[in-house]
Amino acid sequence: MINKIRTQLVQNAASILRSPVHFLPQVVQKKALLEGLKTVFKEALEDGDFEFLEGKWLKVEVKDLQVSWLISYDNEQIVIADKAVKEDVLFSSNLNDLVLIAGRKEDPDTLFFQRRLSIEGDTELGLEVKNLMDSVDLDSLPKPMQTLLNQLAEFVQKGLQSPTTHNEVINAYSN
């Protein structure tokens, strides 16, 4: 029963969250995203690892939520566009896949080749962004953020497993 509920929640997460996200003012979305990025990429920012993004724009699109953000780097700071600008590279995927990538439950390359992660535009810039994401040491994140990300990614991963596959795995270990 709990597995069915989890599966339903994971499969319907985007439709459940879409309206609340769209009602959230852009200024609040921008502030939350900016603070999250600063926390996650604290070391990379301190080391100047974002310089490759200076004067360029990364668009991150969560397709099933129908939201996107434009991110760049200027004056040693991450910036988020206030107005529409043309992106140099676009990363797009569905919410669950982005959660799995963030929680290191799925490899971005695997999702790319399965066409679940799309990278369009300047491929060299896209590769640098992907490498920067891969370089984040999750252990350096604040403990509550580590725990939340890990639990969320595990919840999504288990929710995406079909009940048959889950039962087959249980049966295989019981024999």
Coordinates of all heavy atoms in Angstrom, one line a residue, residues 21 24-38 57 67-72 77-83:
V21 N 4.1 26.3 -7.7 CA 5.3 26.9 -8.2 C 5.0 28.1 -9.1 O 5.6 29.1 -9.0 CB 6.2 25.9 -9.0 CG1 7.3 26.5 -9.8 CG2 6.7 24.8 -8.0
L24 N 4.0 31.1 -7.0 CA 5.1 31.6 -6.3 C 5.7 32.8 -7.0 O 6.1 32.6 -8.2 CB 6.2 30.6 -6.0 CG 7.2 30.7 -4.9 CD1 6.5 30.8 -3.6 CD2 8.1 29.6 -4.9
P25 N 5.8 34.0 -6.5 CA 6.3 35.1 -7.2 C 7.8 34.9 -7.7 O 8.5 34.2 -7.0 CB 6.3 36.3 -6.2 CG 5.3 35.8 -5.1 CD 5.4 34.3 -5.1
Q26 N 8.1 35.4 -8.9 CA 9.4 35.2 -9.5 C 10.5 35.6 -8.5 O 11.5 35.0 -8.5 CB 9.5 36.0 -10.8 CG 8.8 35.3 -12.0 CD 9.6 34.1 -12.4 OE1 10.8 34.0 -12.3 NE2 8.8 33.1 -12.9
V27 N 10.3 36.7 -7.8 CA 11.3 37.2 -6.9 C 11.6 36.2 -5.8 O 12.8 36.0 -5.4 CB 11.0 38.6 -6.3 CG1 9.8 38.5 -5.3 CG2 12.1 39.3 -5.6
V28 N 10.6 35.5 -5.3 CA 10.8 34.4 -4.3 C 11.5 33.2 -4.9 O 12.5 32.7 -4.3 CB 9.4 34.0 -3.7 CG1 9.6 32.9 -2.7 CG2 8.8 35.2 -3.0
Q29 N 11.1 32.8 -6.1 CA 11.8 31.7 -6.8 C 13.2 32.0 -7.0 O 14.1 31.2 -6.8 CB 11.1 31.5 -8.2 CG 9.8 30.8 -8.1 CD 9.2 30.5 -9.5 OE1 10.0 30.2 -10.5 NE2 7.9 30.6 -9.7
K30 N 13.5 33.2 -7.5 CA 14.9 33.7 -7.8 C 15.7 33.7 -6.5 O 16.8 33.2 -6.5 CB 14.8 35.1 -8.4 CG 16.2 35.6 -8.7 CD 16.1 37.0 -9.3 CE 17.4 37.7 -9.5 NZ 17.3 39.0 -10.0
K31 N 15.2 34.2 -5.4 CA 15.9 34.2 -4.2 C 16.2 32.8 -3.7 O 17.4 32.5 -3.3 CB 15.1 35.0 -3.1 CG 15.7 35.1 -1.8 CD 16.9 36.1 -1.8 CE 17.4 36.3 -0.4 NZ 18.7 36.8 -0.3
A32 N 15.2 32.0 -3.7 CA 15.4 30.6 -3.2 C 16.5 29.8 -4.1 O 17.3 29.2 -3.6 CB 14.1 29.8 -3.2
L33 N 16.3 30.0 -5.4 CA 17.3 29.3 -6.3 C 18.7 29.9 -6.1 O 19.6 29.1 -6.0 CB 16.8 29.6 -7.8 CG 17.8 29.0 -8.8 CD1 17.8 27.4 -8.7 CD2 17.3 29.4 -10.2
L34 N 18.8 31.2 -6.0 CA 20.1 31.8 -5.8 C 20.8 31.3 -4.5 O 22.0 31.0 -4.5 CB 20.0 33.3 -5.8 CG 21.3 34.1 -6.0 CD1 22.1 33.7 -7.2 CD2 20.9 35.6 -6.1
E35 N 20.0 31.3 -3.4 CA 20.6 30.9 -2.1 C 21.0 29.4 -2.2 O 22.0 29.0 -1.6 CB 19.6 31.1 -1.0 CG 19.4 32.6 -0.7 CD 20.7 33.4 -0.5 OE1 21.6 32.9 0.3 OE2 20.9 34.5 -1.1
G36 N 20.1 28.6 -2.8 CA 20.4 27.2 -3.0 C 21.7 26.9 -3.8 O 22.6 26.1 -3.4
L37 N 21.8 27.7 -4.9 CA 23.1 27.5 -5.7 C 24.3 28.0 -5.0 O 25.4 27.3 -5.1 CB 22.9 28.3 -7.0 CG 21.9 27.8 -8.0 CD1 21.7 28.8 -9.2 CD2 22.3 26.4 -8.6
K38 N 24.2 29.1 -4.2 CA 25.3 29.5 -3.4 C 25.8 28.5 -2.4 O 27.0 28.3 -2.2 CB 25.0 30.9 -2.7 CG 25.0 32.1 -3.6 CD 24.6 33.3 -2.8 CE 24.4 34.5 -3.6 NZ 24.0 35.7 -2.7
W57 N 25.0 32.4 -20.8 CA 23.8 32.1 -20.0 C 23.4 30.6 -20.1 O 23.4 30.0 -21.2 CB 22.6 32.9 -20.5 CG 22.8 34.3 -20.1 CD1 23.3 35.3 -20.9 CD2 22.4 34.9 -18.9 NE1 23.3 36.5 -20.2 CE2 22.7 36.3 -18.9 CE3 21.8 34.4 -17.7 CZ2 22.5 37.1 -17.9 CZ3 21.6 35.3 -16.7 CH2 21.9 36.6 -16.8
V67 N 8.7 25.3 -15.9 CA 9.4 26.4 -15.3 C 10.9 26.4 -15.8 O 11.4 25.3 -16.2 CB 9.5 26.5 -13.8 CG1 8.1 26.7 -13.2 CG2 10.1 25.3 -13.2
S68 N 11.5 27.5 -15.9 CA 12.9 27.6 -16.3 C 13.5 28.8 -15.7 O 12.9 29.8 -15.3 CB 13.0 27.6 -17.8 OG 12.4 28.8 -18.3
W69 N 14.9 28.8 -15.6 CA 15.6 29.9 -15.0 C 16.9 30.1 -15.9 O 17.4 29.1 -16.4 CB 16.1 29.6 -13.6 CG 14.9 29.4 -12.7 CD1 14.1 30.3 -12.1 CD2 14.4 28.1 -12.3 NE1 13.2 29.7 -11.3 CE2 13.3 28.4 -11.4 CE3 14.7 26.8 -12.5 CZ2 12.5 27.4 -10.8 CZ3 13.9 25.8 -11.9 CH2 12.9 26.1 -11.1
L70 N 17.3 31.3 -16.0 CA 18.5 31.6 -16.8 C 19.6 32.0 -15.7 O 19.4 32.9 -14.9 CB 18.3 32.8 -17.7 CG 17.4 32.3 -19.0 CD1 16.6 33.4 -19.5 CD2 18.4 31.7 -20.0
I71 N 20.7 31.4 -15.8 CA 21.8 31.5 -14.8 C 23.1 31.9 -15.5 O 23.4 31.3 -16.6 CB 22.0 30.2 -14.0 CG1 20.6 29.8 -13.4 CG2 23.1 30.3 -13.0 CD1 20.6 28.3 -12.9
S72 N 23.8 32.8 -14.9 CA 25.1 33.2 -15.4 C 26.0 33.5 -14.2 O 25.7 33.3 -13.1 CB 24.9 34.5 -16.3 OG 26.2 34.8 -17.0
Q77 N 30.0 36.4 -8.9 CA 28.7 36.0 -8.3 C 27.8 35.2 -9.3 O 27.9 35.6 -10.5 CB 28.0 37.2 -7.8 CG 28.7 37.9 -6.6 CD 27.8 39.0 -6.2 OE1 26.7 38.9 -5.8 NE2 28.4 40.2 -6.1
I78 N 27.1 34.3 -8.8 CA 26.0 33.7 -9.7 C 24.9 34.8 -9.8 O 24.6 35.4 -8.9 CB 25.4 32.4 -9.0 CG1 26.5 31.4 -8.9 CG2 24.2 31.9 -9.8 CD1 26.0 30.1 -8.1
V79 N 24.4 34.9 -11.0 CA 23.3 35.8 -11.3 C 22.2 35.0 -12.0 O 22.4 34.1 -12.7 CB 23.7 37.0 -12.1 CG1 24.7 37.9 -11.3 CG2 24.3 36.6 -13.4
I80 N 21.0 35.5 -11.7 CA 19.8 34.9 -12.4 C 19.1 36.0 -13.1 O 18.9 37.1 -12.6 CB 18.8 34.2 -11.3 CG1 19.6 33.1 -10.6 CG2 17.6 33.7 -12.0 CD1 18.9 32.5 -9.5
A81 N 18.8 35.8 -14.4 CA 18.2 36.8 -15.2 C 16.9 37.3 -14.7 O 16.1 36.5 -14.3 CB 18.1 36.3 -16.7
D82 N 16.7 38.6 -14.8 CA 15.4 39.2 -14.4 C 14.5 39.3 -15.6 O 13.3 39.5 -15.5 CB 15.6 40.6 -13.9 CG 16.2 40.6 -12.5 OD1 15.9 39.7 -11.7 OD2 17.1 41.5 -12.2
K83 N 15.1 39.3 -16.8 CA 14.4 39.4 -18.1 C 14.8 38.3 -19.0 O 15.8 37.6 -18.8 CB 14.6 40.8 -18.7 CG 16.0 41.1 -19.0 CD 16.2 42.5 -19.5 CE 17.6 42.6 -19.9 NZ 18.5 43.6 -19.7

